Amino acid sequence: MNVLVYDSHSYDRQFLEAANRGRHTLDFTTSQLDLQTATLAQGHAAICIFVNDDGSAPVLEKLASLGVRAIALRSTGFNNVDLEAAKRFGITVMRVAYYSPYAVAEHAVALLQTLNRHTHRAYNRTREFNFRLGGLLGRDIHGSTVGVVGTGKIGLAFASIMKGFGCKLLGYDAAENPACRELGMTYKPLNELLPEADIVSLHVPLLPATRHLINQDTLALMKPGAFLINTSRGGLVDTEALTEALRQGRLAGVGLDVYEEEDGLFFQDLSDRVVSDDVLARLMMFPNVLITGHQAFFTREAVTTIAETTLQNLDDFAAGRLNDNVLTKN
Ligand SMILES: NC(=O)c1ccc[n+]([C@@H]2O[C@H](COP(=O)([O-])OP(=O)(O)OC[C@H]3O[C@@H](n4cnc5c(N)ncnc54)[C@H](O)[C@@H]3O)[C@@H](O)[C@H]2O)c1
């Protein structure tokens, strides 16, 4: 099958070509999918997209008119694709339902401990032979209460690590995970979890029900001096409300791997440009905010599985098999 890979970087090409082993004809473009760039898909039966590509109804309609019959997402989350519209236009959408949950969970812990122990500041200081400790005071994570918001695959992996640190585990989820219960997690409604947790880590998907789950009201419920970590999707957090909570000094630290307006910013080098996103610029000014550019998934193991599953999805689609990664089954 001819497949156009949108929003592709050198690492996408490297891992997808290694997984492909010549089965499909893969073409690569650095362009993100939108209404204009959809025309590039002409002559391709399938396209492969990532988290910030636009899979809205008008774009899907355009793709269908060009003969695109399948979309292979290189991600678990699929909030950027209108599945109902895809069904209407006869496009099969597939995702990578499972890849290393450890990649994301371990990155959440990296954000937490960088903020807590200020290793990013220590790195800069010691390179200038400044070995003073002022401003680097952290706290023991051992004995802290951790609120895991979303206790699926990644939430479970995160909870397991925090259990190893010696933390008390609280969980919030629409469906309880027995494996989390086995770790000793106590499930609570969100409004009871937030006031008790010293660390809150978000692992629910972005859905209409979870958009701005962390907002002015829920931020007000958080324990003063708590850490908030978001490695899931930017839209879970109302960034304006978060900025206000930070301005009032109510949080010890905020670690974000995702940002609600990351589309057009993340995965790009904008270091020689003026970035006009005032909200992001303001967030960057807080010394207790640490932002990474949606890199939580970015381990060798995870990227290998993403590539292999994507190619398997394309194989199955080409052979007429509807595997478990298909999101557009009726
Ligand atoms: N930053 C990254 O690189 C990266 C990489 C992979 C995944 N993610 C994000 O992490 C999210 C979680 O991934 P996962 O593999 O753990 O998914 P999962 O499906 O295993 O777990 C999600 C959990 O959220 C719960 N949930 C769903 N809707 C809910 C609601 N309305 N209220 C409360 N709980 C709800 C589910 O019951 C489930 O337990 C993904 O949806 C994706 O957005 C981010």
Short mmCIF file of all heavy atoms in Angstrom, two decimals, residues 169-232:
data_model
loop_
_atom_site.label_atom_id
_atom_site.label_comp_id
_atom_site.label_asym_id
_atom_site.label_seq_id
_atom_site.Cartn_x
_atom_site.Cartn_y
_atom_site.Cartn_z
N LEU A 169 -0.87 5.70 48.14
CA LEU A 169 -1.47 5.86 46.81
C LEU A 169 -2.96 6.12 46.88
O LEU A 169 -3.71 5.32 47.46
CB LEU A 169 -1.24 4.60 45.97
CG LEU A 169 0.20 4.18 45.71
CD1 LEU A 169 0.24 2.85 44.95
CD2 LEU A 169 0.96 5.26 44.94
N LEU A 170 -3.40 7.22 46.27
CA LEU A 170 -4.82 7.49 46.08
C LEU A 170 -5.10 7.45 44.58
O LEU A 170 -4.25 7.84 43.78
CB LEU A 170 -5.20 8.87 46.62
CG LEU A 170 -4.93 9.15 48.10
CD1 LEU A 170 -5.38 10.57 48.44
CD2 LEU A 170 -5.65 8.13 48.99
N GLY A 171 -6.29 7.00 44.22
CA GLY A 171 -6.62 6.92 42.79
C GLY A 171 -7.99 7.49 42.50
O GLY A 171 -8.90 7.44 43.34
N TYR A 172 -8.09 8.07 41.28
CA TYR A 172 -9.40 8.52 40.79
C TYR A 172 -9.54 7.97 39.38
O TYR A 172 -8.66 8.15 38.54
CB TYR A 172 -9.48 10.05 40.78
CG TYR A 172 -10.65 10.56 39.98
CD1 TYR A 172 -11.95 10.43 40.46
CD2 TYR A 172 -10.46 11.15 38.73
CE1 TYR A 172 -13.03 10.89 39.71
CE2 TYR A 172 -11.53 11.61 37.97
CZ TYR A 172 -12.81 11.47 38.47
OH TYR A 172 -13.88 11.91 37.73
N ASP A 173 -10.65 7.30 39.12
CA ASP A 173 -10.89 6.75 37.78
C ASP A 173 -12.36 6.42 37.67
O ASP A 173 -13.02 6.12 38.67
CB ASP A 173 -10.04 5.47 37.57
CG ASP A 173 -9.87 5.14 36.09
OD1 ASP A 173 -10.89 4.83 35.43
OD2 ASP A 173 -8.73 5.20 35.60
N ALA A 174 -12.85 6.43 36.42
CA ALA A 174 -14.24 6.03 36.18
C ALA A 174 -14.41 4.53 36.41
O ALA A 174 -15.51 4.07 36.72
CB ALA A 174 -14.62 6.40 34.74
N ALA A 175 -13.32 3.77 36.25
CA ALA A 175 -13.37 2.31 36.47
C ALA A 175 -12.13 1.92 37.28
O ALA A 175 -11.02 2.25 36.88
CB ALA A 175 -13.38 1.58 35.13
N GLU A 176 -12.33 1.24 38.39
CA GLU A 176 -11.18 0.90 39.24
C GLU A 176 -10.34 -0.20 38.59
O GLU A 176 -10.87 -1.07 37.92
CB GLU A 176 -11.69 0.46 40.63
CG GLU A 176 -12.41 1.58 41.34
CD GLU A 176 -12.74 1.28 42.79
OE1 GLU A 176 -12.33 0.22 43.29
OE2 GLU A 176 -13.40 2.13 43.41
N ASN A 177 -9.03 -0.13 38.80
CA ASN A 177 -8.10 -1.10 38.25
C ASN A 177 -7.65 -2.03 39.39
O ASN A 177 -6.99 -1.58 40.34
CB ASN A 177 -6.90 -0.35 37.66
CG ASN A 177 -5.90 -1.27 36.99
OD1 ASN A 177 -5.90 -2.48 37.22
ND2 ASN A 177 -5.04 -0.70 36.17
N PRO A 178 -8.02 -3.33 39.32
CA PRO A 178 -7.67 -4.25 40.41
C PRO A 178 -6.16 -4.27 40.70
O PRO A 178 -5.75 -4.43 41.85
CB PRO A 178 -8.15 -5.62 39.91
CG PRO A 178 -9.10 -5.34 38.79
CD PRO A 178 -8.75 -4.00 38.23
N ALA A 179 -5.34 -4.10 39.64
CA ALA A 179 -3.87 -4.12 39.84
C ALA A 179 -3.44 -2.94 40.71
O ALA A 179 -2.47 -3.05 41.47
CB ALA A 179 -3.16 -4.08 38.49
N CYS A 180 -4.15 -1.80 40.61
CA CYS A 180 -3.83 -0.65 41.47
C CYS A 180 -4.27 -0.93 42.90
O CYS A 180 -3.57 -0.58 43.86
CB CYS A 180 -4.51 0.61 40.93
SG CYS A 180 -3.72 1.25 39.45
N ARG A 181 -5.41 -1.56 43.03
CA ARG A 181 -5.88 -1.93 44.38
C ARG A 181 -4.86 -2.85 45.05
O ARG A 181 -4.58 -2.73 46.24
CB ARG A 181 -7.23 -2.64 44.30
CG ARG A 181 -8.40 -1.67 44.18
CD ARG A 181 -9.66 -2.31 44.78
NE ARG A 181 -10.73 -1.35 44.92
CZ ARG A 181 -10.82 -0.48 45.93
NH1 ARG A 181 -9.91 -0.44 46.89
NH2 ARG A 181 -11.82 0.36 45.99
N GLU A 182 -4.30 -3.78 44.25
CA GLU A 182 -3.30 -4.71 44.81
C GLU A 182 -2.06 -3.98 45.31
O GLU A 182 -1.38 -4.45 46.22
CB GLU A 182 -2.89 -5.74 43.76
CG GLU A 182 -3.77 -6.98 43.78
CD GLU A 182 -3.46 -7.91 42.63
OE1 GLU A 182 -2.28 -8.09 42.29
OE2 GLU A 182 -4.44 -8.45 42.07
N LEU A 183 -1.77 -2.81 44.70
CA LEU A 183 -0.62 -2.01 45.17
C LEU A 183 -0.96 -1.27 46.46
O LEU A 183 -0.10 -0.61 47.04
CB LEU A 183 -0.26 -0.95 44.12
CG LEU A 183 0.42 -1.38 42.83
CD1 LEU A 183 0.60 -0.18 41.91
CD2 LEU A 183 1.79 -2.00 43.13
N GLY A 184 -2.24 -1.33 46.86
CA GLY A 184 -2.66 -0.64 48.08
C GLY A 184 -3.31 0.70 47.81
O GLY A 184 -3.49 1.51 48.73
N MET A 185 -3.69 0.94 46.56
CA MET A 185 -4.31 2.22 46.22
C MET A 185 -5.72 2.32 46.81
O MET A 185 -6.48 1.35 46.77
CB MET A 185 -4.37 2.37 44.70
CG MET A 185 -4.98 3.69 44.25
SD MET A 185 -5.01 3.80 42.45
CE MET A 185 -3.32 4.25 42.09
N THR A 186 -6.05 3.49 47.33
CA THR A 186 -7.42 3.76 47.78
C THR A 186 -8.07 4.67 46.75
O THR A 186 -7.53 5.72 46.42
CB THR A 186 -7.40 4.49 49.15
OG1 THR A 186 -6.61 3.71 50.05
CG2 THR A 186 -8.80 4.67 49.71
N TYR A 187 -9.22 4.26 46.24
CA TYR A 187 -9.94 5.10 45.27
C TYR A 187 -10.79 6.13 45.98
O TYR A 187 -11.40 5.83 47.02
CB TYR A 187 -10.80 4.23 44.35
CG TYR A 187 -10.01 3.64 43.22
CD1 TYR A 187 -9.38 2.39 43.37
CD2 TYR A 187 -9.85 4.32 42.03
CE1 TYR A 187 -8.63 1.85 42.33
CE2 TYR A 187 -9.10 3.78 40.98
CZ TYR A 187 -8.50 2.56 41.14
OH TYR A 187 -7.75 2.03 40.12
N LYS A 188 -10.79 7.34 45.44
CA LYS A 188 -11.57 8.44 46.02
C LYS A 188 -12.16 9.27 44.89
O LYS A 188 -11.58 9.33 43.81
CB LYS A 188 -10.66 9.38 46.81
CG LYS A 188 -9.90 8.75 47.95
CD LYS A 188 -10.01 9.59 49.17
CE LYS A 188 -9.49 8.83 50.38
NZ LYS A 188 -9.86 9.42 51.62
N PRO A 189 -13.26 9.97 45.14
CA PRO A 189 -13.71 10.97 44.17
C PRO A 189 -12.64 12.06 44.06
O PRO A 189 -11.88 12.29 45.02
CB PRO A 189 -15.00 11.53 44.78
CG PRO A 189 -15.37 10.62 45.89
CD PRO A 189 -14.14 9.90 46.33
N LEU A 190 -12.61 12.73 42.91
CA LEU A 190 -11.56 13.73 42.68
C LEU A 190 -11.55 14.82 43.76
O LEU A 190 -10.49 15.25 44.21
CB LEU A 190 -11.76 14.36 41.29
CG LEU A 190 -10.62 15.23 40.77
CD1 LEU A 190 -9.34 14.42 40.60
CD2 LEU A 190 -10.99 15.89 39.45
N ASN A 191 -12.74 15.23 44.19
CA ASN A 191 -12.80 16.33 45.18
C ASN A 191 -12.31 15.90 46.57
O ASN A 191 -12.07 16.74 47.43
CB ASN A 191 -14.20 16.96 45.23
CG ASN A 191 -15.26 15.97 45.68
OD1 ASN A 191 -14.96 14.79 45.88
ND2 ASN A 191 -16.47 16.44 45.84
N GLU A 192 -12.15 14.59 46.78
CA GLU A 192 -11.56 14.12 48.04
C GLU A 192 -10.07 13.82 47.86
O GLU A 192 -9.29 13.99 48.80
CB GLU A 192 -12.27 12.86 48.53
CG GLU A 192 -13.69 13.15 49.01
CD GLU A 192 -14.40 11.89 49.51
OE1 GLU A 192 -13.71 10.94 49.93
OE2 GLU A 192 -15.64 11.88 49.44
N LEU A 193 -9.70 13.39 46.66
CA LEU A 193 -8.28 13.07 46.38
C LEU A 193 -7.42 14.35 46.40
O LEU A 193 -6.35 14.38 47.03
CB LEU A 193 -8.19 12.37 45.03
CG LEU A 193 -6.81 12.03 44.46
CD1 LEU A 193 -6.88 10.76 43.61
CD2 LEU A 193 -6.21 13.15 43.62
N LEU A 194 -7.91 15.40 45.74
CA LEU A 194 -7.08 16.60 45.55
C LEU A 194 -6.63 17.25 46.86
O LEU A 194 -5.46 17.63 46.99
CB LEU A 194 -7.79 17.61 44.64
CG LEU A 194 -7.97 17.16 43.18
CD1 LEU A 194 -8.77 18.19 42.38
CD2 LEU A 194 -6.63 16.91 42.50
N PRO A 195 -7.51 17.39 47.88
CA PRO A 195 -7.04 18.04 49.11
C PRO A 195 -6.02 17.20 49.90
O PRO A 195 -5.31 17.73 50.73
CB PRO A 195 -8.32 18.21 49.93
CG PRO A 195 -9.45 17.99 49.00
CD PRO A 195 -8.94 17.10 47.92
N GLU A 196 -5.96 15.88 49.60
CA GLU A 196 -5.07 15.01 50.38
C GLU A 196 -3.73 14.77 49.72
O GLU A 196 -2.77 14.38 50.39
CB GLU A 196 -5.75 13.63 50.58
CG GLU A 196 -6.82 13.63 51.63
CD GLU A 196 -7.37 12.22 51.84
OE1 GLU A 196 -6.56 11.27 51.93
OE2 GLU A 196 -8.60 12.09 51.89
N ALA A 197 -3.66 14.98 48.40
CA ALA A 197 -2.46 14.55 47.67
C ALA A 197 -1.35 15.61 47.70
O ALA A 197 -1.58 16.79 47.45
CB ALA A 197 -2.82 14.22 46.23
N ASP A 198 -0.13 15.14 47.99
CA ASP A 198 1.06 16.01 47.90
C ASP A 198 1.55 16.10 46.46
O ASP A 198 2.23 17.05 46.08
CB ASP A 198 2.20 15.44 48.75
CG ASP A 198 1.79 15.29 50.21
OD1 ASP A 198 1.50 16.33 50.83
OD2 ASP A 198 1.74 14.14 50.70
N ILE A 199 1.21 15.07 45.69
CA ILE A 199 1.61 15.00 44.28
C ILE A 199 0.38 14.51 43.51
O ILE A 199 -0.23 13.52 43.88
CB ILE A 199 2.75 13.97 44.10
CG1 ILE A 199 3.99 14.38 44.91
CG2 ILE A 199 3.09 13.76 42.63
CD1 ILE A 199 4.89 13.23 45.29
N VAL A 200 0.04 15.23 42.43
CA VAL A 200 -1.09 14.81 41.59
C VAL A 200 -0.54 14.58 40.19
O VAL A 200 0.12 15.46 39.62
CB VAL A 200 -2.20 15.89 41.55
CG1 VAL A 200 -3.28 15.50 40.54
CG2 VAL A 200 -2.80 16.10 42.94
N SER A 201 -0.78 13.39 39.63
CA SER A 201 -0.29 13.10 38.29
C SER A 201 -1.46 12.67 37.41
O SER A 201 -2.25 11.81 37.80
CB SER A 201 0.78 12.00 38.35
OG SER A 201 1.47 11.91 37.13
N LEU A 202 -1.56 13.30 36.23
CA LEU A 202 -2.73 13.10 35.37
C LEU A 202 -2.47 12.02 34.31
O LEU A 202 -1.50 12.14 33.54
CB LEU A 202 -3.10 14.41 34.66
CG LEU A 202 -3.31 15.62 35.57
CD1 LEU A 202 -3.69 16.84 34.71
CD2 LEU A 202 -4.39 15.35 36.62
N HIS A 203 -3.35 11.02 34.27
CA HIS A 203 -3.20 9.93 33.29
C HIS A 203 -4.53 9.51 32.69
O HIS A 203 -4.67 8.37 32.22
CB HIS A 203 -2.50 8.74 33.96
CG HIS A 203 -1.15 9.08 34.51
ND1 HIS A 203 -0.08 9.40 33.70
CD2 HIS A 203 -0.72 9.25 35.79
CE1 HIS A 203 0.96 9.71 34.46
NE2 HIS A 203 0.60 9.63 35.73
N VAL A 204 -5.52 10.40 32.69
CA VAL A 204 -6.79 10.12 31.99
C VAL A 204 -6.65 10.61 30.55
O VAL A 204 -5.88 11.52 30.26
CB VAL A 204 -8.02 10.82 32.63
CG1 VAL A 204 -8.46 10.12 33.89
CG2 VAL A 204 -7.76 12.30 32.88
N PRO A 205 -7.42 10.01 29.62
CA PRO A 205 -7.40 10.54 28.24
C PRO A 205 -8.14 11.87 28.17
O PRO A 205 -8.93 12.19 29.07
CB PRO A 205 -8.13 9.47 27.44
CG PRO A 205 -8.89 8.66 28.40
CD PRO A 205 -8.31 8.85 29.76
N LEU A 206 -7.89 12.61 27.09
CA LEU A 206 -8.64 13.85 26.86
C LEU A 206 -9.95 13.50 26.15
O LEU A 206 -9.94 13.00 25.03
CB LEU A 206 -7.83 14.83 26.02
CG LEU A 206 -8.54 16.14 25.67
CD1 LEU A 206 -8.91 16.92 26.93
CD2 LEU A 206 -7.69 16.99 24.75
N LEU A 207 -11.05 13.76 26.83
CA LEU A 207 -12.40 13.50 26.31
C LEU A 207 -13.22 14.73 26.68
O LEU A 207 -12.79 15.53 27.52
CB LEU A 207 -13.01 12.28 27.03
CG LEU A 207 -12.26 10.96 26.94
CD1 LEU A 207 -12.78 9.98 27.98
CD2 LEU A 207 -12.40 10.40 25.54
N PRO A 208 -14.42 14.89 26.10
CA PRO A 208 -15.25 16.02 26.55
C PRO A 208 -15.40 16.03 28.08
O PRO A 208 -15.35 17.08 28.71
CB PRO A 208 -16.58 15.77 25.83
CG PRO A 208 -16.19 15.03 24.58
CD PRO A 208 -15.03 14.16 24.96
N ALA A 209 -15.52 14.83 28.68
CA ALA A 209 -15.74 14.76 30.14
C ALA A 209 -14.50 15.13 30.95
O ALA A 209 -14.61 15.47 32.14
CB ALA A 209 -16.19 13.35 30.51
N THR A 210 -13.32 15.06 30.33
CA THR A 210 -12.10 15.32 31.11
C THR A 210 -11.43 16.66 30.73
O THR A 210 -10.44 17.03 31.33
CB THR A 210 -11.07 14.19 30.94
OG1 THR A 210 -10.78 14.05 29.54
CG2 THR A 210 -11.58 12.87 31.48
N ARG A 211 -11.98 17.34 29.70
CA ARG A 211 -11.40 18.64 29.32
C ARG A 211 -11.45 19.59 30.52
O ARG A 211 -12.47 19.71 31.18
CB ARG A 211 -12.16 19.23 28.13
CG ARG A 211 -11.64 20.59 27.70
CD ARG A 211 -12.23 21.02 26.38
NE ARG A 211 -11.76 20.21 25.27
CZ ARG A 211 -10.58 20.37 24.66
NH1 ARG A 211 -9.76 21.34 25.05
NH2 ARG A 211 -10.21 19.59 23.69
N HIS A 212 -10.37 20.23 30.82
CA HIS A 212 -10.25 21.16 31.95
C HIS A 212 -10.70 20.52 33.28
O HIS A 212 -11.32 21.16 34.10
CB HIS A 212 -11.02 22.46 31.68
CG HIS A 212 -10.32 23.31 30.65
ND1 HIS A 212 -10.76 24.55 30.29
CD2 HIS A 212 -9.20 23.10 29.92
CE1 HIS A 212 -9.95 25.07 29.36
NE2 HIS A 212 -9.00 24.20 29.12
N LEU A 213 -10.33 19.25 33.40
CA LEU A 213 -10.55 18.56 34.69
C LEU A 213 -9.85 19.34 35.81
O LEU A 213 -10.34 19.44 36.93
CB LEU A 213 -9.97 17.14 34.59
CG LEU A 213 -10.29 16.14 35.66
CD1 LEU A 213 -11.75 15.71 35.55
CD2 LEU A 213 -9.40 14.89 35.51
N ILE A 214 -8.69 19.87 35.47
CA ILE A 214 -7.97 20.73 36.41
C ILE A 214 -8.27 22.17 36.00
O ILE A 214 -7.79 22.66 34.97
CB ILE A 214 -6.45 20.43 36.40
CG1 ILE A 214 -6.20 18.97 36.79
CG2 ILE A 214 -5.69 21.39 37.33
CD1 ILE A 214 -6.67 18.55 38.17
N ASN A 215 -9.11 22.81 36.81
CA ASN A 215 -9.59 24.16 36.51
C ASN A 215 -9.53 25.00 37.79
O ASN A 215 -9.02 24.54 38.81
CB ASN A 215 -11.01 24.09 35.93
CG ASN A 215 -11.94 23.32 36.87
OD1 ASN A 215 -11.88 23.49 38.09
ND2 ASN A 215 -12.80 22.48 36.32
N GLN A 216 -10.09 26.18 37.72
CA GLN A 216 -10.04 27.08 38.88
C GLN A 216 -10.57 26.40 40.16
O GLN A 216 -9.98 26.50 41.22
CB GLN A 216 -10.87 28.32 38.57
CG GLN A 216 -10.68 29.45 39.54
CD GLN A 216 -11.57 30.63 39.21
OE1 GLN A 216 -12.32 30.62 38.21
NE2 GLN A 216 -11.52 31.64 40.03
N ASP A 217 -11.69 25.67 40.01
CA ASP A 217 -12.32 25.05 41.18
C ASP A 217 -11.50 23.89 41.71
O ASP A 217 -11.30 23.75 42.93
CB ASP A 217 -13.73 24.55 40.82
CG ASP A 217 -14.64 25.71 40.44
OD1 ASP A 217 -14.34 26.85 40.84
OD2 ASP A 217 -15.62 25.47 39.71
N THR A 218 -11.03 23.02 40.80
CA THR A 218 -10.28 21.85 41.27
C THR A 218 -8.88 22.26 41.75
O THR A 218 -8.35 21.66 42.70
CB THR A 218 -10.20 20.74 40.19
OG1 THR A 218 -9.84 21.33 38.94
CG2 THR A 218 -11.52 20.02 40.04
N LEU A 219 -8.31 23.30 41.14
CA LEU A 219 -7.01 23.80 41.64
C LEU A 219 -7.15 24.33 43.06
O LEU A 219 -6.27 24.14 43.90
CB LEU A 219 -6.47 24.90 40.72
CG LEU A 219 -5.82 24.42 39.42
CD1 LEU A 219 -5.72 25.56 38.40
CD2 LEU A 219 -4.44 23.82 39.69
N ALA A 220 -8.31 24.95 43.34
CA ALA A 220 -8.54 25.49 44.69
C ALA A 220 -8.64 24.37 45.72
O ALA A 220 -8.38 24.58 46.91
CB ALA A 220 -9.82 26.34 44.69
N LEU A 221 -9.01 23.16 45.25
CA LEU A 221 -9.12 22.03 46.18
C LEU A 221 -7.77 21.41 46.49
O LEU A 221 -7.63 20.66 47.46
CB LEU A 221 -10.01 20.93 45.56
CG LEU A 221 -11.50 21.22 45.41
CD1 LEU A 221 -12.17 20.07 44.65
CD2 LEU A 221 -12.14 21.39 46.77
N MET A 222 -6.76 21.67 45.63
CA MET A 222 -5.47 21.00 45.81
C MET A 222 -4.79 21.46 47.09
O MET A 222 -4.91 22.62 47.50
CB MET A 222 -4.56 21.25 44.60
CG MET A 222 -4.94 20.40 43.40
SD MET A 222 -3.83 20.64 41.99
CE MET A 222 -2.33 19.87 42.59
N LYS A 223 -4.07 20.54 47.69
CA LYS A 223 -3.33 20.83 48.92
C LYS A 223 -2.32 21.94 48.64
O LYS A 223 -1.58 21.86 47.65
CB LYS A 223 -2.61 19.54 49.33
CG LYS A 223 -2.01 19.53 50.67
CD LYS A 223 -1.61 18.08 50.97
CE LYS A 223 -0.92 17.98 52.29
NZ LYS A 223 -0.67 16.59 52.67
N PRO A 224 -2.24 22.95 49.46
CA PRO A 224 -1.23 23.99 49.22
C PRO A 224 0.17 23.37 49.23
O PRO A 224 0.47 22.52 50.06
CB PRO A 224 -1.41 24.95 50.41
CG PRO A 224 -2.80 24.69 50.90
CD PRO A 224 -3.09 23.24 50.62
N GLY A 225 0.98 23.76 48.25
CA GLY A 225 2.35 23.22 48.18
C GLY A 225 2.45 21.86 47.50
O GLY A 225 3.46 21.18 47.60
N ALA A 226 1.38 21.47 46.79
CA ALA A 226 1.42 20.18 46.08
C ALA A 226 2.13 20.34 44.73
O ALA A 226 2.27 21.45 44.21
CB ALA A 226 0.01 19.66 45.86
N PHE A 227 2.55 19.22 44.18
CA PHE A 227 3.09 19.18 42.82
C PHE A 227 1.99 18.69 41.87
O PHE A 227 1.23 17.78 42.23
CB PHE A 227 4.26 18.18 42.72
CG PHE A 227 5.52 18.65 43.38
CD1 PHE A 227 5.86 18.21 44.66
CD2 PHE A 227 6.38 19.52 42.73
CE1 PHE A 227 7.03 18.62 45.27
CE2 PHE A 227 7.56 19.94 43.32
CZ PHE A 227 7.88 19.50 44.60
N LEU A 228 1.94 19.26 40.67
CA LEU A 228 1.02 18.79 39.64
C LEU A 228 1.85 18.38 38.42
O LEU A 228 2.67 19.16 37.93
CB LEU A 228 0.04 19.90 39.23
CG LEU A 228 -0.89 19.56 38.06
CD1 LEU A 228 -1.89 18.47 38.44
CD2 LEU A 228 -1.65 20.81 37.59
N ILE A 229 1.61 17.15 37.95
CA ILE A 229 2.35 16.64 36.79
C ILE A 229 1.33 16.24 35.72
O ILE A 229 0.38 15.51 36.00
CB ILE A 229 3.19 15.38 37.17
CG1 ILE A 229 4.08 15.65 38.40
CG2 ILE A 229 4.01 14.91 35.97
CD1 ILE A 229 5.18 16.65 38.21
N ASN A 230 1.52 16.73 34.50
CA ASN A 230 0.64 16.34 33.39
C ASN A 230 1.46 15.81 32.22
O ASN A 230 2.14 16.56 31.53
CB ASN A 230 -0.23 17.52 32.94
CG ASN A 230 -1.24 17.10 31.88
OD1 ASN A 230 -1.43 15.91 31.62
ND2 ASN A 230 -1.91 18.07 31.26
N THR A 231 1.39 14.50 32.03
CA THR A 231 2.03 13.87 30.87
C THR A 231 0.97 13.28 29.95
O THR A 231 1.30 12.47 29.08
CB THR A 231 2.99 12.74 31.29
OG1 THR A 231 2.25 11.81 32.10
CG2 THR A 231 4.19 13.26 32.05
N SER A 232 -0.31 13.67 30.14
CA SER A 232 -1.36 13.03 29.35
C SER A 232 -1.74 13.86 28.12
O SER A 232 -1.27 13.61 27.02
CB SER A 232 -2.57 12.72 30.20
OG SER A 232 -3.48 11.95 29.45
#
